[in-house]
Amino acid sequence: MAKEVAILGVGMHPWGKWGKNFVEYGIKACNDALDDAGLEWNDIEVVAGAETVRNGYAGYVAGATFAEALGWSGARVSTSYAACASGAQAINNARAMILADMADVILVVGADTTPKGFLAPNAGERWADPDWLRFRLMGCTNPTYFALYARRRMDLYGATEEDFAAVKVKNAKHGMANPYARYHKEFTLEQVLESPMVADPLRLFEICATSDGAAAVVICSMEYARKHNVDPVKIRAVSTITPTYPQTTIDMPYFSTDSAAAVEEPALSFKDSIAQAAYEEAGLGPEDMSLAEVYDLSSALELDWYENIGLCPKGDAEKLLRDGATQIGGRIPVNPSGGLASFGEAVPAQALAQVCELTWQLRGQAGDRQVEGATAGITANVGLFGHGSSVICSV
Amino acid sequence: MTEKNVAPSIEGWFTTGDTPHLIGTQCKTCQTYFFPKQDLFCKNPACRSTEFDEVELSRTGKIWSYTEHYYRPPEPYISGDDFEPYTIAAVELDKEKMVILGQVANGVAHADLTTGLAMEIVVETLYEEEDTERTVWKWKPVTD
C-alpha cells in the first residue's frame, strides 16, 4: 500500500467553447483551488502542469506557463504529457515529490482550448507516425475504435443501441446538476437514437465532443493538512501503468494488436490492469467504492469500464445499467459529474476534473448530484499510446 | 483514355496479385510476429533480438469487430467530392494471434458482416491521383 497524500483544494473553470486563451481558464481554476485550500499562491512550492499540445509553446511548458501567469515566485515546476492521462501523470509526479519529502504543498493544473470537429493528427507528411498513417491509409478516426468496442459488446454480450443511448441519457441527467458541465440538457432515448449515425453503432450524441476547460488540485502531505487543521480527502492510489506485452486489444492509434503467437497474453487486459493496480496500491477493492468517474469517450465505452474497474463480471455491464445501479441513487453511481457526455473532453484537464468530482462527492459538497454517504471513489481513463490513469480517493 | 498506373499507397506493407498478403516481420529469436514491420528491435520484453525475417502474414482471419463510417474523416485521409460511407474491420489472424485493421472491400455491405466471420485480404484502390491509382489492403468475406 502507498502512503497517502491529502487533497487540500480543488477548482475548475466551466467547460465550453469559450474561444479564450487556455491560460485564462487555468488561472481561474488555480485561484478557486487555492481559495478552497485556504492558501495563497506564495504558499505553493511546486506547480505541476498537465500539457496541452494544441496551444503552442506555452502549452508545452504548462507548469512554467502557470507559474509565470500567477507571478514568478521561485516555485519549482514540472510538466507532464500523457495525452488524456496527462492530469493523472501530473498528480502522480506531485505525489511523488511529497512522498519523497521534496515538497509539502503542490498545485496541479491542466487547461485546454480546443478546435472544432474530429481530433485530427498533426499536419505534414509523416509516414513513420502511426497516428498520421491510420487516417491516411484507412480513414480510421477515434470514433472508429470506440465503434469497434461497441459492436463487439453487441455481438458478444447482446448489448443494444438502446443500452448505449441509456448511458447518454443517464449522464446527461447527472450533468444537469453540475455547474461546471458544458451541456445542461436532458435527453430521451428517442432523441439519442434519432441523432445521426457517425460510426455504426454510435451516434452523434453518444460520442464525446472536444471542449475548453480547466481543473486544478492542491495536494499536500498529511502533516501539512493536519497543521492546517483539515480532515482532508486522501489520495490512496494513482495508477499510471502501461500495458503488459502482448497487448491484445486493438487500441488507438495502432494498426494492429501485438501478436500472442510466441508470448502468452497476460491474465488481465490493459484496461483491467489499470484499475487492478490502483486497487492494490490503495488496499481497497471495487466493493469499497461509492462512486466511479470513468472516461465515456463514447456511451458504449462506459459499459466496458464497469467491467474494467471490477463493478461486474465481463458481459454483465448492460444488466448493471438496466438495473439502475450506476445512476445517482443506485448501488454504484458512475459519472455522477455527468461524465464526458456532459463535459466534452478538455484533454489535459479531464483526469484532474475527475479528481475534483471525487473530492466534492467525498466531502458531501456535490449538491443535487450528491452520492449519499460516499466514502471512496475511483477514476479511470486511458491516454493515447499506452497511458493508464486511475486515481482512488477516500475520506 | 489511357490507363492509370497502379501503385501501392505505401511501399512494402502488402503484396499484390491474385492472392495478396500483408507483409510483416518475425523475430529470428523469439518468433513473435509484427505488423507493420518491426526490424530494429524486438518488442517482446524478454527478447533483445535485432534480427528479423520478412514474412507474408496469413491472408485470412476472423472478424473481431467492425464499423461503418458516415462522415468524411479529416486529412490526411484523401476522399473525393462524392464521399461514400466506408466500413472498417478488425480481423484476427489465427496463426499470428493478432488483430489487424483495414477497410472492408468495396461492395460489401456492413449488414453482411458479423463478429467471427471469415475474411481475406484483397488489394483495392484507396484514392486516385492524376495519373496513378493508389492501392491499399482491404478485408473481404471469404467466398468458397
Side-chain angles (χ1 to χ4, degrees):
Chain A
M1 268 167 47
K3 288 185 191 160
E4 296 164 349
V5 297
I7 295 178
L8 211 52
V10 291
M12 286 170 63
H13 183 287
W15 263 227
K17 282 281 187 193
W18 310 107
K20 296 178 183 171
N21 190 302
F22 76 101
V23 181
E24 188 175 333
Y25 311 140
I27 293 295
K28 194 270 183 192
C30 287
N31 283 328
D32 281 8
L34 289 168
D35 287 345
D36 188 42
L39 297 178
E40 293 300 327
W41 159 234
N42 274 315
D43 297 322
I44 296 296
E45 297 167 21
V46 181
V47 181
E51 172 178 342
T52 163
V53 294
R54 298 196 198 87
N55 292 278
Y57 217 126
Y60 302 151
V61 294
T65 293
F66 286 108
E68 190 267 348
L70 289 160
W72 288 126
S73 66
R76 296 187 193 216
V77 295
S78 75
T79 299
S80 302
Y81 191 67
C84 306
S86 298
Q89 292 265 348
I91 286 185
N92 199 43
N93 292 344
R95 178 179 76 143
M97 290 185 80
I98 289 170
L99 294 181
D101 282 333
M102 293 170 68
D104 282 320
V105 58
I106 298 180
L107 175 63
V108 187
V109 55
D112 209 2
T113 299
T114 51
K116 278 190 174 175
F118 281 126
L119 289 183
N122 292 339
E125 296 263 324
R126 297 183 307 122
W127 291 91
D129 176 359
D131 195 41
W132 185 89
L133 277 173
R134 65 167 165 134
F135 283 89
R136 168 60 67 99
L137 297 180
M138 298 185 296
C140 198
T141 63
N142 292 359
T144 303
Y145 295 87
F146 311 152
L148 291 172
Y149 306 143
R151 172 58 61 182
R152 194 163 163 84
R153 285 207 75 83
M154 296 176 92
D155 283 5
L156 256 58
Y157 303 137
T160 64
E161 289 196 47
E162 286 73 17
D163 289 326
F164 302 153
V167 172
K168 171 69 176 192
V169 169
K170 169 184 76 73
N171 288 347
K173 193 174 176 198
H174 289 176
M176 294 286 289
N178 193 335
Y180 297 102
R182 173 175 172 187
Y183 304 106
H184 297 101
K185 181 179 183 320
E186 283 207 63
F187 284 90
T188 63
L189 275 185
E190 292 68 33
Q191 284 170 325
V192 177
L193 291 171
E194 282 166 7
S195 68
M197 193 68 90
V198 173
D200 187 289
L202 297 174
R203 295 172 182 276
L204 187 61
F205 292 163
E206 297 179 304
I207 294 172
C208 121
T210 59
S211 293
D212 300 358
V217 180
V218 174
I219 71 170
C220 67
S221 64
M222 293 306 294
E223 294 74 19
Y224 190 95
R226 274 192 287 271
K227 264 192 279 182
H228 282 71
N229 220 1
V230 182
D231 182 20
V233 168
K234 296 178 279 262
I235 295 178
R236 302 285 298 270
V238 184
S239 166
T240 54
I241 62 166
T242 54
T244 297
Y245 192 87
Q247 190 351 357
T248 57
T249 306
I250 190 77
D251 200 6
M252 287 190 286
Y254 300 111
F255 283 84
S256 70
T257 63
D258 292 333
S259 162
V263 184
E264 205 173 321
E265 57 185 306
L268 292 181
S269 76
F270 176 39
K271 284 174 70 189
D272 290 342
S273 66
I274 295 168
Q276 181 60 31
Y279 287 132
E280 275 176 27
E281 194 172 288
L284 297 171
E287 66 285 358
D288 299 312
M289 297 298 114
S290 313
L291 71 145
E293 284 284 317
V294 304
Y295 234 55
D296 55 322
L297 290 165
S298 82
S299 55
L301 203 63
E302 180 172 307
L303 299 172
D304 286 346
W305 280 118
Y306 294 176
E307 298 163 5
N308 300 135
I309 66 172
L311 302 185
C312 63
K314 299 278 179 223
D316 283 3
E318 287 75 15
K319 182 173 186 323
L320 205 65
L321 174 79
R322 292 171 195 161
D323 289 350
T326 57
Q327 66 192 23
I328 293 172
R331 178 169 71 76
I332 173 75
V334 176
N335 286 330
S337 70
L340 294 174
S342 300
F343 275 76
E345 188 183 17
V347 173
Q350 210 68 45
L352 295 172
Q354 291 182 317
V355 173
C356 291
E357 179 67 11
L358 291 194
T359 304
W360 283 316
Q361 290 285 353
L362 294 172
R363 289 175 178 169
Q365 296 176 339
D368 290 342
R369 64 182 195 283
Q370 181 64 45
V371 174
E372 288 307 320
T375 55
I378 184 169
T379 75
N381 161 21
V382 176
L384 202 66
F385 291 110
H387 292 102
S389 159
S390 177
V391 178
I392 292 178
C393 296
S394 74
V395 291
Chain B
M1 203 173 117
T2 52
E3 287 264 310
K4 285 189 176 187
N5 297 320
V6 177
S9 53
I10 187 164
E11 281 298 330
W13 280 41
F14 55 91
T15 62
T16 55
D18 289 341
T19 54
H21 289 261
L22 290 170
I23 303 172
T25 52
Q26 184 174 24
C27 174
K28 284 189 172 181
T29 303
C30 75
Q31 313 300 318
T32 295
Y33 294 97
F34 296 97
F35 178 83
K37 286 184 282 189
Q38 178 73 14
D39 52 14
L40 295 175
F41 43 85
C42 185
K43 295 210 252 182
N44 172 357
C47 180
R48 287 197 188 182
S49 169
T50 56
E51 294 189 3
F52 300 83
D53 290 319
E54 197 165 288
V55 293
E56 292 185 347
L57 301 179
S58 307
R59 53 182 311 280
T60 60
K62 293 191 178 70
I63 291 188
W64 186 86
S65 193
Y66 54 101
T67 177
E68 184 169 24
H69 267 254
Y70 286 78
Y71 283 83
R72 189 190 297 269
E75 289 179 351
Y77 189 69
I78 297 169
S79 51
D81 296 332
D82 49 345
F83 171 78
E84 292 281 337
Y86 58 97
T87 299
I88 290 177
V91 174
E92 186 164 20
L93 308 185
D94 279 342
K95 188 178 84 173
E96 293 83 358
K97 289 192 165 66
M98 65 199 298
V99 173
I100 297 180
L101 294 175
Q103 285 194 359
V104 171
N106 296 329
V108 177
H110 177 265
D112 293 339
L113 303 179
T114 186
T115 297
L117 187 70
M119 302 287 274
E120 66 180 336
I121 291 282
V122 294
V123 169
E124 290 187 351
T125 301
L126 176 65
Y127 60 90
E128 299 199 15
E129 294 170 341
E130 202 169 324
D131 53 4
T132 309
E133 265 183 48
R134 293 287 175 181
T135 59
V136 77
W137 76 92
K138 293 189 183 183
W139 292 110
K140 187 176 186 178
V142 174
T143 46
D144 298 324

